[in-house]
Amino acid sequence: MGIGGATWPDIFKWGATALTIAGAGMTAADLGRRATGWGFALFSGGSACWLASAQLEQESQLGLTNLVLLALNLFGVWRWLVRRGSAAPP
């Protein structure tokens, strides 16, 4: 059991859903470099939640997909929040 009778996989799935929707909204809004970076950070959290759920439910396809997405999202965090450069983003 998880919280309030919900299972841990369900808690991770709902967390992933919320984080992914919020990340998509922030990224799509194009509110600037910092907001886009935080959108990728939220996407990364969503991917991590999906990975946890996939591990608990032994869903290797979902796990592999979100492992790749986590890597891509972390690249987005690095690109938009961490990296300092003079070139403006495309």
Side-chain angles (χ1 to χ4, degrees):
M1 279 294 161
I3 299 171
T7 65
W8 282 109
D10 287 337
I11 293 167
F12 284 124
K13 287 177 184 179
W14 280 110
T17 299
L19 289 167
T20 302
I21 290 169
M26 286 185 74
T27 304
D30 193 19
L31 298 172
R33 182 174 196 84
R34 194 168 179 88
T36 298
W38 281 107
F40 277 109
L42 292 172
F43 274 138
S44 296
S47 293
C49 285
W50 281 118
L51 274 169
S53 175
Q55 181 66 29
L56 290 170
E57 294 191 327
Q58 298 179 346
E59 294 181 8
S60 57
Q61 299 89 343
L62 181 63
L64 178 59
T65 300
N66 279 281
L67 183 63
V68 172
L69 289 174
L70 179 60
L72 292 170
N73 291 326
L74 289 173
F75 174 72
V77 169
W78 175 80
R79 169 121 171 39
W80 294 97
L81 284 179
V82 177
R83 183 179 77 161
R84 300 282 188 240
S86 60

